[in-house]
Amino acid sequence: MAQPRLTGALRSFSNVSRQDDYTGEPSDLKSKRLKRQEAFSKEGVTWKMIAQFISQHLEKRDQQAASENLKIVLQTARQIVGSEFGQEVIESAAVFIFKLFCNKDQVGHEETKAIRQMFGPFPSSSVDAACAAVNRVVSLFDETQIETFIKVHSSSHFKDHVPFGKNIMFSFDTYTLDYLEYLPIKNDDEKLSKEFSLNY
Amino acid sequence: MATAQRVPLDEQQTTEPDDQTGRERVLPALHPARMEDRCFVLYQPPPVTGSAAEVEAFLEQAQFIAEDLDWLLALPHDRFWCQVVFDESLQKCLDSYLRLAPRGLDCTLPASPAVMDMQKHLHRSVFMTFLRMATHKESKENFITPAVFGEIIYNNFLFDIPKILDLCVLYGKGNGHLIQKMIENIFNQQPSYYSDLDETVPTVLQVLNTILERCGLRMEEAASSEPLKLGSTTTRTAMEMSTKDLEDLVLYLCDTCTTLYALFDIFPPACSAFQSHGFLSRLASFYELAVPDIEKAVKKRNFDDKSLQEDLWRRVSHSRKKIIEIAHLLIQHTCLQPILENSSENIHLFVEDFLQIFTSLLQEKSFLADYDEQFPVADDVSLLQQAFPLLDETRTSYILQGIECAWESVGRKKHRLPPSRATPE
């Protein structure tokens, strides 16, 4: 439950703030995730580019295996985002998964967290399968070839901009309770005020 | 890209492709079409129980906010302002943080390192966002016309008085200098905030009255001017109310005193705004009436949970101290400082204020004794005598005698400091 606050009273009873600022309703995390996926899909690398790069840089004998693994990644992406979404959303999810696992051998806590943050709850078997499929594709290339490709094509949309306040010193020090140490155990009313001193 | 250099943002224009037609179009640099639909989520405070599911839910939601604020702070100046002015979800997110973020005074349980790290990340990012919103000139190239800046922040409620108070109490202790500059700039560029501050004072006074009423008490002024409501005699006192109500009352008192203290400490001009409503005398009456009652209730009631009793006692003690310190800040900034700085031709008016304040406080015995213990009035009188040789000695003696009486009437002995040696002529 929210703590009683002076500023709560000011917001409710004085006429100096916008009344509809905060309603206390929980946020719709589903819409947030969709927005995030949408934003991600606009960031540089597309599924088409990944598929093209792979087919262009592999010998014919490896292309078949790579293409099958890319299909697995797409399938698992569909399982993770849900089948109700269109091809565009699924391909964008596949890119996310591909980027996430292209330099990871297995699904760790960070990867699980990143996927849940992006898509919400998901079947873990799909993620394991996706990770393995991405690894099989990457193993067909030189160590950093894929990573470099992704880095070059990732959009640096405002990411290289120095964030405001980066060099501003910030302190986490905050007002804390400033009190007398003891609770006087006295029964005499009259003595209470005598015992209680502001001589800190 | 903005086309002009060294032109304020509010006068810049930019060409951008139209989302629907794909054609280039000219837009003001500050335009809703340039805002990104980011959908900021609301802040929820760290979980109280600390169950794994709650922790995870907190971290997930907080991660969204942390990422979004990091993104926001990295935006170029024009994009940042488009977002803060036109994105309502961002303003709701910031507002939810100010309302719900734990204060240093709140009863908080130990949180996991992940929760603490995330909370710290958010705490800093929210501060930097407000700091950037309070800055009309970020660099030689990136700035907003001061008057337009004042309109933008006021008309869009980017800052309002409750938000300013929240900022003071959340960040004032560790970042006082920055918060001070920030609030000064807001008030300088938009004087309407002074009117809003003035408009807020009656509500603050009402908060004090509400606390008294909950204890079954009334201020003398209210008692004489308003008739008693039928049935109001059945109001429960602090001794009779439920433990939960008493706890809420003490938390409310504690938060109110600390928030006001933070405001006056960080933004001294607020002292004058409050004093123009006779705030100090109301505060002293409140102290005289409410503190002994609440103190007695906390001390004498039977608590099943002794740790709750001790916590409430510490909070009442803290509130007492803060009220005394608020009183001192009010006197310091509205009378003493102008006198000692000798900056005003109307110095006698400030002296008169000082004398009148203490004359009117003589009836508030325990308040006065506690104030004098912490901030000896005789020291101030002595300083005044040096700064203003025409000081009316009859009146100062009367006040100092009144303070002696206050000590006696509350049955305490004054801890006298050795008299300071007079300066040789």
Side-chain angles (χ1 to χ4, degrees):
Chain A
M1 210 185 109
Q3 298 247 13
R5 301 216 193 281
L6 171 69
T7 51
L10 297 184
R11 284 183 171 95
S12 303
F13 302 116
S14 67
N15 200 20
V16 293
S17 55
R18 182 149 59 190
Q19 293 304 312
D20 63 342
D21 253 3
Y22 168 72
T23 54
E25 293 161 16
S27 293
D28 180 3
L29 296 187
K30 214 172 169 183
S31 333
K32 176 63 192 169
R33 284 197 190 96
L34 280 177
K35 282 275 173 277
R36 220 161 160 260
Q37 289 167 35
E38 224 173 76
F40 178 80
S41 68
K42 291 174 190 162
E43 277 183 18
V45 187
T46 63
W47 186 246
K48 215 179 210 172
M49 285 160 76
I50 291 176
Q52 226 165 31
F53 176 83
I54 286 166
S55 71
Q56 281 169 2
H57 290 80
L58 282 182
E59 299 286 330
K60 263 222 161 129
R61 60 187 149 88
D62 292 331
Q63 278 183 16
Q64 178 69 17
S67 146
E68 273 168 22
N69 281 309
L70 288 184
K71 266 187 203 160
I72 295 174
V73 178
L74 262 184
Q75 273 167 12
T76 52
R78 180 176 280 117
Q79 287 159 6
I80 289 167
V81 296
S83 50
E84 69 269 32
F85 292 100
Q87 191 64 12
E88 205 179 321
V89 176
I90 289 161
E91 283 188 2
S92 160
V95 173
F96 180 84
I97 289 164
F98 193 88
K99 283 168 87 171
L100 190 66
F101 291 123
C102 72
N103 55 1
K104 302 275 177 351
D105 296 339
Q106 53 188 7
V107 185
H109 179 67
E110 283 305 307
E111 292 74 41
T112 310
K113 212 173 95 182
I115 296 173
R116 194 177 22 246
Q117 192 80 8
M118 186 64 111
F119 306 109
F122 58 88
S124 62
S125 59
S126 305
V127 175
D128 290 334
C131 178
V134 172
N135 274 291
R136 285 195 292 272
V137 174
V138 174
S139 67
L140 299 170
F141 289 82
D142 291 344
E143 216 173 308
T144 57
Q145 214 175 343
I146 296 252
E147 248 185 282
T148 314
F149 158 74
I150 286 173
K151 214 176 247 177
V152 167
H153 290 88
S154 287
S155 143
S156 59
H157 200 57
F158 304 137
K159 277 181 185 161
D160 296 333
H161 209 270
V162 180
F164 177 90
K166 188 172 181 271
N167 300 317
I168 295 175
M169 288 284 286
F170 179 79
S171 161
F172 290 97
D173 201 6
T174 181
Y175 291 105
T176 49
L177 278 182
D178 187 6
Y179 54 87
L180 291 165
E181 291 296 331
Y182 64 96
L183 170 65
I185 307 299
K186 294 259 181 208
N187 291 322
D188 185 356
D189 271 5
E190 295 301 311
K191 282 186 179 170
L192 175 62
S193 61
K194 292 175 192 174
E195 291 300 320
F196 199 112
S197 162
L198 277 176
N199 195 10
Y200 310 105
Chain B
M1 266 296 283
T3 49
Q5 291 295 305
R6 306 232 175 165
V7 171
L9 178 63
D10 44 288
E11 289 175 21
Q12 285 177 24
Q13 298 222 311
T14 179
T15 46
E16 295 222 337
D18 188 322
D19 282 346
Q20 285 173 348
T21 63
R23 282 187 190 166
E24 293 273 295
R25 58 178 173 165
V26 178
L27 289 175
L30 260 180
H31 191 277
R34 303 190 70 219
M35 173 201 99
E36 195 165 309
D37 188 6
R38 192 81 185 182
C39 191
F40 281 78
V41 297
L42 300 176
Y43 171 80
Q44 291 290 330
V48 180
T49 62
S51 76
E54 281 183 337
V55 165
E56 195 139 317
F58 165 79
L59 289 174
E60 186 185 26
Q61 200 151 335
Q63 178 70 29
F64 283 133
I65 303 174
E67 273 178 19
D68 283 344
L69 291 181
D70 288 349
W71 166 83
L72 181 76
L73 289 168
L75 288 179
H77 186 248
D78 58 333
R79 290 280 180 178
F80 171 83
W81 278 99
C82 286
Q83 208 68 31
V84 298
V85 172
F86 302 115
D87 187 347
E88 281 187 21
S89 75
L90 165 61
Q91 289 311 321
K92 285 183 180 173
C93 165
L94 293 172
D95 195 45
S96 66
Y97 186 85
L98 294 184
R99 285 173 190 241
L100 301 174
R103 276 66 171 146
L105 307 161
D106 291 350
C107 333
T108 44
L109 296 166
S112 71
V115 169
M116 277 164 62
D117 285 350
M118 179 55 82
Q119 181 57 35
K120 279 186 161 186
H121 185 149
L122 290 182
H123 197 58
R124 186 184 185 280
S125 300
V126 169
F127 176 78
M128 290 304 165
T129 306
F130 276 105
L131 185 61
R132 199 176 185 189
M133 291 198 300
T135 307
H136 66 280
K137 187 172 182 185
E138 215 168 289
S139 65
K140 276 182 186 169
E141 291 78 27
N142 298 314
F143 61 98
I144 303 175
T145 310
V148 178
F149 166 79
E151 277 173 32
I152 288 174
I153 58 168
Y154 190 76
N155 296 344
N156 294 288
F157 292 93
L158 302 191
F159 291 93
D160 59 33
I161 299 298
K163 283 181 186 176
I164 290 169
L165 282 160
D166 284 329
L167 286 166
C168 286
V169 77
L170 281 167
Y171 297 104
K173 180 78 189 294
N175 303 280
H177 181 60
L178 283 171
I179 283 276
Q180 189 175 7
K181 278 177 74 174
M182 186 168 147
I183 298 175
E184 274 172 8
N185 194 43
I186 293 166
F187 276 77
N188 284 343
Q189 306 311 337
Q190 180 50 271
S192 298
Y193 282 114
Y194 282 108
S195 324
D196 282 2
L197 190 61
D198 187 66
E199 215 177 296
T200 308
V201 184
T203 315
V204 175
L205 289 169
Q206 187 51 50
V207 166
L208 299 183
N209 279 336
T210 304
I211 293 174
L212 285 175
E213 281 165 16
R214 295 226 181 123
C215 299
L217 301 164
R218 301 180 97 204
M219 278 210 212
E220 216 170 83
E221 288 149 57
S224 59
S225 61
E226 294 167 26
L228 265 180
K229 284 179 194 162
L230 282 177
S232 61
T233 46
T234 59
T235 313
R236 288 182 170 188
T237 65
M239 277 301 278
E240 293 160 353
M241 64 177 67
S242 71
T243 307
K244 181 75 195 118
D245 285 349
L246 180 64
E247 186 186 348
D248 276 353
L249 190 80
V250 173
L251 289 174
Y252 197 28
L253 172 68
C254 192
D255 178 77
T256 301
C257 298
T258 313
T259 306
L260 287 176
Y261 172 80
L263 174 71
F264 298 139
D265 188 32
I266 285 152
F267 187 56
C271 294
S272 311
F274 272 68
Q275 254 319 68
S276 67
H277 291 260
F279 186 72
L280 179 53
S281 109
R282 303 285 291 271
L283 187 70
S285 304
F286 170 81
Y287 186 96
E288 202 74 14
L289 282 167
V291 168
D293 241 54
I294 299 174
E295 234 173 46
K296 185 178 156 194
V298 172
K299 183 172 167 265
K300 293 203 130 193
R301 286 171 59 134
N302 281 326
F303 284 82
D304 294 333
D305 179 358
K306 290 291 169 197
S307 66
L308 173 64
Q309 185 183 20
E310 279 171 14
D311 180 63
L312 294 184
W313 180 259
R314 285 192 288 264
R315 285 173 193 281
V316 177
S317 166
H318 169 91
S319 306
R320 277 185 73 171
K321 193 174 177 191
K322 283 292 159 244
I323 293 176
I324 296 296
E325 287 172 354
I326 288 170
H328 181 248
L329 284 173
L330 290 168
I331 293 167
Q332 181 75 19
H333 292 301
T334 59
C335 313
L336 289 176
Q337 209 133 302
I339 295 168
L340 296 176
E341 282 170 0
N342 205 9
S343 55
S344 171
E345 289 172 10
N346 300 322
I347 195 166
H348 63 283
L349 294 177
F350 295 108
V351 173
E352 182 58 32
D353 277 353
F354 178 87
L355 296 174
Q356 273 195 7
I357 284 172
F358 278 101
T359 308
S360 71
L361 290 178
L362 289 179
Q363 54 184 331
E364 319 292 4
K365 308 278 187 206
S366 59
F367 170 83
L368 209 52
D370 287 346
Y371 181 90
D372 189 54
E373 183 176 24
Q374 190 68 358
F375 303 103
V377 180
D379 290 357
D380 290 341
V381 169
S382 156
L383 272 175
L384 285 189
Q385 276 164 343
Q386 291 169 40
F388 188 69
L390 301 173
L391 193 67
D392 184 343
E393 271 193 43
T394 318
R395 289 176 74 186
T396 53
S397 305
Y398 175 69
I399 288 168
L400 292 175
Q401 273 172 24
I403 291 168
E404 292 293 330
C405 291
W407 277 88
E408 280 165 27
S409 71
V410 296
R412 278 165 39 197
K413 280 184 185 166
K414 196 169 173 178
H415 307 288
R416 285 180 194 282
L417 293 167
S420 55
R421 285 176 61 187
T423 319
E425 284 182 17

